[in-house]
Amino acid sequence: MIVVEDVRQTPHEMRLVLAAWPVVRTWGLAVRLWLAATFVTTAALILWPFDIDRNLWLLVSFYAMIVGVIALSLIANRRISKAARAAPLGDAPSRWVLDETGLRIEHALSTQSLDWRAVVRVVEERDRIIFAVLPSRNHVLPLRCLRPDQQEAVRKLIAEASESGRLGAGVD
């Protein structure tokens, strides 16, 4: 059993979990490419007849619309992150317990237990370990919270769960 005390994730550690969900990365890229293609096509159609005054205003308003969407997205993301940190469990320290059966995350106000069968995949990045359960539900354990011996023990435990076929096996 591996016990990790006082786990608090930073906003950087809670960034998007694209490595754990290739489908999210693929479809996110498809949406961005579609928006870029639409942007270029619309700009080309605006400039086609080449009436400089009309086209300049259309192009400026089109760019303003794009910049506005990006700016509003950034503002919304910051506001949502701030609201998440202000929630009762938002910045609360947690205690992680990992063993042969799965992982348990304990907060002052809640406890969540996950069997290894519920974890679709585990991805280790340079600063965190991601336990992917659903595209909208991932548990992030910062590597900075683990001692070097705990890091090796966690890697070994995950390898054993994967080799035994329990990791991501689901419920029969």
Side-chain angles (χ1 to χ4, degrees):
M1 178 178 358
I2 304 159
V3 178
V4 185
E5 301 284 347
D6 198 32
V7 175
R8 290 178 191 243
Q9 295 92 348
T10 64
H12 178 70
E13 291 162 344
M14 294 304 291
R15 65 191 178 275
L16 284 176
V17 181
L18 297 178
W21 295 101
V23 67
V24 174
R25 181 181 31 214
T26 301
W27 282 99
L29 178 61
V31 168
R32 287 191 298 272
L33 288 174
W34 174 260
L35 287 173
T38 304
F39 174 75
V40 170
T41 303
T42 306
L45 289 174
I46 288 171
L47 295 173
W48 189 263
F50 203 76
D51 177 15
I52 191 69
D53 288 335
R54 180 182 63 89
N55 287 335
L56 181 63
W57 283 110
L58 286 173
L59 199 58
V60 166
S61 63
F62 186 67
Y63 279 116
M65 179 186 67
I66 296 297
V67 169
V69 166
I70 292 170
L72 284 175
S73 297
L74 292 173
I75 292 169
N77 193 23
R78 283 197 178 150
R79 299 293 167 110
I80 292 168
S81 295
K82 184 177 179 181
R85 286 190 304 275
L89 291 180
D91 196 27
S94 60
R95 178 178 189 255
W96 288 54
V97 180
L98 298 96
D99 60 21
E100 296 78 27
T101 61
L103 62 114
R104 189 172 65 245
I105 304 167
E106 302 169 349
H107 293 279
L109 301 173
S110 72
T111 298
Q112 182 174 25
S113 296
L114 288 170
D115 190 291
W116 286 120
R117 295 175 298 173
V119 180
V120 175
R121 74 182 50 86
V122 179
V123 177
E124 183 174 342
E125 295 182 340
R126 63 180 165 71
D127 61 340
R128 64 187 182 165
I129 299 175
I130 303 163
F131 297 89
V133 180
L134 295 168
S136 60
R137 184 169 156 212
N138 303 284
H139 300 286
V140 176
L141 179 61
L143 287 173
R144 65 177 167 73
C145 295
L146 299 167
R147 298 185 313 266
D149 61 316
Q150 286 180 320
Q151 287 183 15
E152 279 308 309
V154 168
R155 288 183 188 112
K156 183 179 176 187
L157 190 62
I158 293 166
E160 288 172 2
S162 183
E163 289 169 9
S164 69
R166 290 176 302 177
L167 185 67
V171 179
D172 293 333

